[in-house]
Amino acid sequence: MSILLLLLSIVGLVLLIIKVKLHPFFALLLVSICFALLSGMSGDLIITSIQNGFGSTLGKIGLVIIMGVVIGAFLENTGAAMSLAEGVLNFVGKQNVIIAMGVVGYIISIPVFGDSGFLLMNSLNRNLTKKAGISLAATAIALALGLILTHNLVPPTPGPIAAAATLNADLALVIPFGLITAAVGLVAGLVFAKFYASKTYIDPDNNALVPVDNMILTNSNFAYRPGFFLSSLPILVPIILIVGKSVLKATNFLQEGSFLASTLNFMGESVIALLIGVFLCLLLPEKLHKDMISSDGWIGKCFKDAASILLITGAGGIFGTVLKDSGVADQLGAHLSTYNIGIFLPFILGAALKSSQGSSTVALITVASIILPLMPILNLVSETDKALAVTAIGSGALVVCHANDSFFWVVTQMSGMNVKQGYQLLSLGTLIVGCTSMVATYILFVILH
């Protein structure tokens, strides 16, 4: 009955988000309370689970999400994201437009949201596609798949950060595993774009420039843009610090307790590393204005975007804590132990939730909460296992992007695809890259065991 109740709770969650249009925060909160009551938890235990789940989750990850969103806002508003894109194009070669746009998407979406990244790169993509004399479908799909891969798999994007925090996974492992699995998925995506999507001709001169969800098309006409090296610092430095801390700790390269070791350990903490990235963002504008960092400026606006993510993350923590405290995890684990499903369960649940309700972030957060109490039963207990569980959920949360996802409409509307073409190209493409990145996750899992 508890397992059936869990399944009904997931169905109820999807219906509340899709049919009732209830915000995912309240949907998760209501489903958590209903599940707790119907599973027989006492009132005091329910209150404790709600408070502990919300507080402990945001205590671990709230600041990290905020820092990541601020970095993305500065890269977008200063033109640094465009500088990164042009740097990649110069390296790959503008004649290889499909490959270039896939790589651009892969890099840009690490700090910038996928929707914003596509809008930001749309004008550049159209111009390059026109010069190359190829179909916009191929380059738009390559860009979209590159964006969505790192958006789901690589911190500091909020979804994988929240999932990593929920599973207590080490970001120093999640980041490289996410980069690897996303890169493998990107290769499959580029093959798909070059040999399949390119057969559907869409004129890059079409005027399908329709703003979606009140988002404004950003063009490349920045009065000033920082150079490639400066633009890359807010992304590279935090990643180097986080991964470097883990490497130094694993190799005992520095004497434990020394000043240098303590300093590097401190700077390698996720919050501090990303805070350093935020400070580096202040170097990006030609001249720093107080309006940029005010409550009405770039930072104030991105905090409004972060608020929704923080609320959903906290509510996901409530759901996970309720599941753990109710004892359903033990019953579900005993049932699952008869099947050798292991690392594939996070992927299956991620795909189910993504396809049904549309948001990759909600899928990542919710599935991580469900999986947490099951990790020992699934024999996913080591630091490597936890990190790979995050990439498995992220891979599942790629499958599939369709009409219930705002990204689907951004890509189709901005590139002039009709709904049928969107399903044939973007939905099928996300299915391919999601499954491919899961295969890469499983290969890493086998190799590292």
Side-chain angles (χ1 to χ4, degrees):
M1 284 301 296
S2 296
I3 295 172
L4 177 61
L5 183 59
L6 174 59
L7 294 175
L8 291 174
S9 297
I10 295 173
V11 172
L13 176 65
V14 171
L15 291 175
L16 285 173
I17 295 173
I18 296 177
K19 297 295 183 182
V20 183
K21 304 296 183 183
L22 186 63
H23 191 281
F25 168 77
F26 280 111
L28 282 163
L29 180 61
L30 289 176
V31 166
S32 299
I33 294 174
C34 290
F35 178 89
L37 290 171
L38 294 174
S39 64
M41 292 175 63
S42 67
D44 289 341
L45 182 56
I46 293 173
I47 297 300
T48 301
S49 297
I50 291 173
Q51 292 174 339
N52 290 344
F54 190 82
S56 63
T57 301
L58 288 186
K60 289 185 292 185
I61 203 62
L63 288 174
V64 176
I65 290 176
I66 290 172
M67 301 303 171
V69 171
V70 171
I71 291 173
F74 267 85
L75 288 175
E76 184 177 345
N77 287 293
T78 60
M82 192 66 69
S83 294
L84 288 172
E86 292 190 350
V88 171
L89 287 169
N90 291 332
F91 177 76
V92 176
K94 293 184 179 180
Q95 68 277 11
N96 300 313
V97 183
I98 295 175
I99 296 174
M101 295 317 299
V103 175
V104 163
Y106 177 92
I107 294 173
I108 294 300
S109 199
I110 293 175
V112 177
F113 288 106
D115 292 3
S116 299
F118 194 89
L119 291 166
L120 190 66
M121 294 297 123
N122 183 64
S123 178
L124 177 64
N125 181 40
R126 283 176 172 272
N127 291 332
L128 292 172
T129 303
K130 183 179 178 181
K131 289 178 182 178
I134 59 178
S135 171
L136 183 62
T139 55
I141 290 300
L143 174 61
L145 295 180
L147 287 165
I148 201 170
L149 275 161
T150 48
H151 177 80
N152 278 23
L153 292 166
V154 184
T157 309
I161 279 185
T166 300
L167 298 180
N168 297 310
D170 186 354
L171 282 181
L173 293 176
V174 175
I175 290 173
F177 289 165
L179 288 169
I180 292 169
T181 53
V184 175
L186 179 61
V187 172
L190 292 175
V191 171
F192 174 80
K194 185 174 180 63
F195 295 102
Y196 181 81
S198 60
K199 294 179 180 179
T200 300
Y201 184 76
I202 296 178
D203 187 353
D205 275 336
N206 72 67
N207 294 316
L209 301 179
V210 182
V212 180
D213 289 343
N214 297 320
M215 290 185 288
I216 301 173
L217 175 64
T218 307
N219 60 41
S220 58
N221 297 321
F222 292 93
Y224 165 82
R225 284 189 318 193
F228 178 82
F229 175 75
L230 193 60
S231 299
S232 65
L233 289 180
I235 304 174
L236 286 179
V237 171
I239 289 176
I240 291 171
L241 288 173
I242 292 169
V243 175
K245 174 192 173 183
S246 181
V247 171
L248 290 174
K249 187 175 181 180
T251 58
N252 292 319
F253 182 74
L254 296 175
Q255 182 180 354
E256 187 71 25
S258 67
F259 174 77
L260 185 57
S262 299
T263 301
L264 291 176
N265 280 332
F266 175 74
M267 295 175 66
E269 281 295 323
S270 301
V271 173
I272 303 302
L274 286 167
L275 180 60
I276 291 171
V278 170
F279 284 127
L280 290 172
C281 284
L282 302 180
L283 302 174
L284 298 179
E286 183 179 20
K287 185 178 180 181
L288 189 65
H289 298 286
K290 61 181 180 181
D291 292 341
M292 297 176 182
I293 57 176
S294 69
S295 58
D296 296 323
W298 297 348
I299 289 183
K301 290 178 181 177
C302 77
F303 280 174
K304 293 176 183 177
D305 295 333
S308 179
I309 298 168
L310 290 170
L311 288 171
I312 296 170
T313 301
I318 292 173
F319 190 34
T321 303
V322 166
L323 292 179
K324 182 180 68 174
D325 293 346
S326 70
V328 69
D330 294 332
Q331 298 177 41
L332 183 58
H335 181 70
L336 291 173
S337 62
T338 60
Y339 304 96
N340 190 21
I341 195 168
I343 195 72
F344 286 99
L345 180 62
F347 171 78
I348 294 169
L349 291 177
L353 272 176
K354 163 64 180 178
S355 297
S356 57
Q357 54 79 41
S359 170
S360 295
T361 302
V362 171
L364 277 154
I365 293 169
T366 305
V367 174
S369 301
I370 295 171
I371 289 296
L372 176 62
L374 301 176
M375 294 287 280
I377 299 156
L378 295 172
N379 200 27
L380 302 174
V381 292
S382 70
E383 292 301 321
T384 299
D385 293 339
K386 294 175 185 177
L388 288 173
V390 175
T391 63
I393 299 171
S395 298
L398 287 162
V399 180
V400 292
C401 176
H402 62 97
N404 62 0
D405 186 349
S406 64
F407 188 67
F408 177 88
W409 296 107
V410 169
V411 174
T412 55
Q413 294 290 303
M414 301 306 292
S415 57
M417 297 179 194
N418 57 41
V419 174
K420 181 181 178 181
Q421 290 170 333
Y423 275 95
Q424 290 173 336
L425 302 178
L426 183 59
S427 299
L428 181 57
T430 54
L431 173 64
I432 290 171
V433 298
C435 292
T436 304
S437 60
M438 182 58 215
V439 170
T441 296
Y442 181 68
I443 291 172
L444 283 173
F445 181 79
V446 173
I447 291 173
L448 296 174
H449 278 74

